[in-house]
Amino acid sequence: MKKGKYILSFILVLFLTGCTTSKQVIEDFNCSLIDYPVRDFKVDLFGSIYTIDFKNRLRLYDQNLNLQFEYYNNTLGDISYIDVTNPKKIAIFFDGFQKVVYVDDTLSELARYEGELNILAIGSSRDNNLWIYDGLDYRLKKISRNNKLLLESNPLESYHRLNIQPDYIIEHNNMVYLVEEGNGIAVFDNFGTFSNFIPGDISSVFLDKNRMYYMKQGAIYRLLLDNAFAEEREIKTVSLKVKTAYIFNQNIFYLENNCMKKTSID
């Protein structure tokens, strides 16, 4: 009887300790823009902000960070990546289940894509199809809405010294960028022909007009895409802890210790 009492007391202590710890974590998190820890986020061309939290909820905010809509799906695992190139057709990638869910501008589900490919990275195409990087044969592929293969590149390993496993894909101005954060960017044209490789320990890549922006060593850099001899230019130092940041107008939104923050370029 005494032994059972000790066990019960021990369980009660663990329970109370766990509750105290969880409460302390919530109380310790203090963020002025969004009051919960953010795992990742994106900003679309209209300045709308999409956050992913640690409960796997996707939330849409306007430019003033007023909550508009929320999407939650607990059947497909964690969200790996969201593509907000087209705010009317947002692609949500669940790599654990190899599925892409499309939602509209209210985060209501439109359609799903699933194929017999080993998808490592995705990105929306301008013609409403899907770019994927297939880990089975190491090729960049464009897939139609009916799961039809529209085009594909040669295997990436066939290009001299090109060793990349992209995290995401961006199509911009008839070029396709396969980004592996911390390694570099493989650049193709929109027919799947390899163009060049941009090396570097970079993250949070986004493109606007003829400019590429990215984070490197705690600062935001800009590279002019239409000038083959252009050198990268530092826009603003943020913090060495920051890996994710996006610019909209003159504001920089960034994540530091899972807290959404904002600063100006000037």
Side-chain angles (χ1 to χ4, degrees), residues 1-259:
M1 184 70 179
K2 182 184 286 189
K3 182 178 179 182
K5 183 177 179 181
Y6 287 153
I7 292 173
L8 181 61
S9 300
F10 179 69
I11 293 172
L12 182 60
V13 169
L14 286 180
F15 176 75
L16 293 175
T17 304
C19 290
T20 304
T21 303
S22 300
K23 185 177 179 182
Q24 189 67 34
V25 169
I26 294 172
E27 288 179 348
D28 285 349
F29 186 78
N30 183 15
C31 189
S32 59
L33 293 185
I34 294 180
D35 62 356
Y36 57 86
V38 174
R39 176 163 62 89
D40 196 8
F41 80 101
K42 291 286 188 298
V43 180
D44 70 20
L45 72 168
F46 299 116
S48 297
I49 298 170
Y50 306 76
T51 67
I52 304 171
D53 67 14
F54 287 88
K55 294 182 179 179
N56 211 38
R57 294 175 298 190
L58 173 63
R59 288 173 170 173
L60 168 59
Y61 294 84
D62 64 17
Q63 295 181 35
N64 299 315
L65 287 172
N66 297 309
L67 179 62
Q68 304 297 304
F69 304 101
E70 180 177 312
Y71 173 85
Y72 178 69
N73 188 320
N74 65 353
T75 64
L76 298 177
D78 290 340
I79 296 174
S80 307
Y81 180 72
I82 57 171
D83 187 308
V84 300
T85 303
N86 179 358
K88 299 287 186 182
K89 188 181 180 183
I90 299 158
I92 308 172
F93 180 39
F94 298 85
D95 67 349
F97 282 76
Q98 292 286 286
K99 286 184 172 60
V100 179
V101 175
Y102 292 102
V103 296
D104 64 15
D105 54 358
T106 68
L107 302 188
S108 299
E109 187 168 325
L110 294 170
R112 295 190 180 193
Y113 167 81
E114 55 183 327
E116 297 179 356
L117 305 171
N118 181 21
I119 305 174
L120 299 185
I122 67 132
S124 298
S125 69
R126 292 290 176 177
D127 55 3
N128 280 324
N129 293 303
L130 182 69
W131 290 107
I132 67 107
Y133 178 67
D134 189 351
L136 291 177
D137 56 11
Y138 311 107
R139 296 175 189 261
L140 170 67
K141 299 178 180 180
K142 182 188 277 191
I143 308 296
S144 76
R145 288 166 288 182
N146 299 320
N147 291 358
K148 180 181 178 182
L149 177 64
L150 301 176
L151 60 86
E152 63 181 3
S153 71
N154 291 325
L156 265 64
E157 61 185 9
S158 67
Y159 301 107
H160 183 57
R161 295 181 180 177
L162 183 57
N163 181 19
I164 185 171
Q165 292 188 347
D167 299 301
Y168 50 89
I169 303 170
I170 304 171
E171 180 182 331
H172 183 74
N173 288 349
N174 297 321
M175 302 300 288
V176 183
Y177 301 84
L178 279 66
V179 182
E180 181 181 6
E181 296 195 337
N183 185 16
I185 306 170
V187 186
F188 291 74
D189 66 19
N190 59 359
F191 295 103
T193 302
F194 177 70
S195 174
N196 65 301
F197 180 70
I198 304 171
D201 182 12
I202 61 180
S203 64
S204 197
V205 177
F206 59 103
L207 298 103
D208 176 46
K209 298 179 181 178
N210 68 328
R211 299 180 292 265
M212 176 187 291
Y213 296 90
Y214 48 82
M215 290 291 302
K216 184 173 74 170
Q217 298 176 347
I220 295 180
Y221 285 83
R222 184 188 73 191
L223 182 67
L224 298 179
L225 298 174
D226 56 359
N227 184 348
F229 301 100
E231 296 184 357
E232 62 181 13
R233 175 187 172 189
E234 183 176 331
I235 301 299
K236 184 163 184 171
T237 298
V238 183
S239 167
L240 283 173
K241 297 179 181 179
V242 174
K243 298 292 184 182
T244 305
Y246 296 99
I247 297 174
F248 183 76
N249 290 338
Q250 295 299 306
N251 292 317
I252 300 173
F253 295 91
Y254 64 98
L255 279 184
E256 185 173 17
N257 296 326
N258 303 122
C259 174

